[in-house]
Amino acid sequence: MTSRLDLLNDILDALGEPALVTAAITSSSSDWAKRADRALTRATKIIAERHDWNWMKAIQQLSETETAEPVGWEYEFNKPATCLRLQKITIDGGWSSRPLPFEDRSGALLTNSETSFLHFNDQTRLEDFGAWPEVFAAAVGFEAAWRACLGTTQSRSKKEDLD
């Protein structure tokens, strides 16, 4: 089970820096620990957006907005606030159902189906580090180490090795 401390220490290990004993980053923490912490936050979202991760999947019936009929489409729906990556929209929510054509326009989802279910990566799942699969945690750790590398080691060759 992955913890925030595990992730920070994986980043620091990849950079050749000493491990932390606590995940609490304070003003007195070293610069490399602060960089690792900042890079972790950014890298987590980047890795989550890159792929349709099974463990992040959610399905939600969309609720129609109160606006007039959208140009070029019959229905406009509110995009869920926790939607990190759109996977598809279906008429019945079934995973094997055929995807419907849609448009993501200014935070609204447009379709020609009155009943629409969104399949998406739910970003609330990112808050529970212990639920992360190891392959996701490893990808986040290496992405974060790559992002923190130049500021920590000042070494372009180290950054190329991480890449």
Side-chain angles (χ1 to χ4, degrees):
M1 186 145 112
T2 302
S3 69
R4 185 169 181 82
L5 179 60
D6 293 333
L7 291 165
L8 288 169
N9 283 332
D10 285 348
I11 296 165
L12 296 172
D13 184 52
L15 295 171
E17 299 290 346
L20 299 171
V21 294
T22 178
I25 305 297
T26 65
S27 59
S28 63
S29 297
S30 65
D31 285 343
W32 43 262
K34 291 175 188 174
R35 283 189 189 100
D37 185 53
R38 284 192 305 270
L40 175 59
T41 301
R42 181 96 170 110
T44 299
K45 194 168 182 183
I46 288 169
I47 296 298
E49 288 179 349
R50 278 190 189 156
H51 182 70
D52 291 335
W53 297 98
N54 258 351
W55 67 278
M56 290 184 70
K57 286 182 182 174
I59 301 171
Q60 179 177 324
Q61 185 170 4
L62 296 172
S63 58
E64 197 170 351
T65 65
E66 299 297 322
T67 60
E69 186 175 306
V71 175
W73 298 90
E74 292 181 34
Y75 301 96
E76 179 178 286
F77 300 97
N78 294 310
K79 187 176 182 179
T82 63
C83 178
L84 188 60
R85 177 185 166 116
L86 298 169
Q87 295 176 2
K88 67 180 179 177
I89 295 178
T90 62
I91 196 166
D92 62 2
W95 186 250
S96 60
S97 298
R98 191 177 85 241
L100 297 172
F102 72 92
E103 182 180 345
D104 183 359
R105 185 189 297 169
S106 301
L109 298 172
L110 312 174
T111 74
N112 289 328
S113 174
E114 183 177 11
T115 304
S116 296
F117 288 82
L118 176 64
H119 300 247
F120 64 101
N121 284 10
D122 187 344
Q123 69 182 359
T124 59
R125 310 238 172 125
L126 295 177
E127 297 165 10
D128 184 10
F129 297 111
W132 289 13
E134 288 301 316
V135 70
F136 181 81
V140 168
F142 279 114
E143 176 73 23
W146 182 81
R147 293 185 166 283
C149 187
L150 276 181
T152 303
T153 66
Q154 300 295 315
S155 169
R156 290 206 179 276
S157 64
K158 179 69 172 175
K159 188 167 186 172
E160 288 171 5
D161 288 346
L162 288 168
D163 194 31

